[in-house]
Amino acid sequence: MEEKTAQPGKIKDLGYYFLNLLSAKAWQYLGLMVHPENGQILVDLEEARKAIDLFSVVLEALKRDLEAEEVRELEFHLSNLQLNFVEKMRQLAQE
């Protein structure tokens, strides 16, 4: 019986996981998701911007390793984050 050894994880997989973490943090700092660390709604646009910008940088670095459908999905997700950021800025400016 041949024993199979586990292959080490690819950077693509780690990057995809990191994008999900950044996305969750961005939504939390946009105040559109409960922050799990304190159970509250928190708005911090500077932190949200950093998470969104970093999402963009990581996505750009991973694009050549992703399938076309994955790239489209992640670009759509990035656009959604960016649009919500702009909307949140507009809302806060009107207050």
Side-chain angles (χ1 to χ4, degrees), residues 14-15 21-22 25 45 48-49 62 65 75 80-81 92:
L14 182 59
L21 289 175
L22 288 169
K25 283 296 184 187
L45 292 184
R49 184 193 57 77
L62 290 176
D65 297 325
E75 285 177 338
N80 199 8
L81 285 168
L92 292 177

Side-chain angles (χ1 to χ4, degrees), residues 26-45:
W27 289 117
Q28 291 163 15
Y29 283 118
L30 287 171
L32 300 173
M33 195 171 146
V34 172
H35 205 283
E37 294 167 22
N38 62 13
Q40 298 176 345
I41 297 292
L42 174 65
V43 176
D44 184 335
L45 292 184

Side-chain angles (χ1 to χ4, degrees), residues 1 6 9 12 20 24 34 51-52 57 60-61 68 70 72 77-78 86:
M1 185 167 162
K12 168 191 162 184
N20 285 319
V34 172
I52 294 167
V57 169
E60 193 59 38
E70 291 173 312
R72 278 191 298 277
H77 196 65
L78 175 59
V86 170

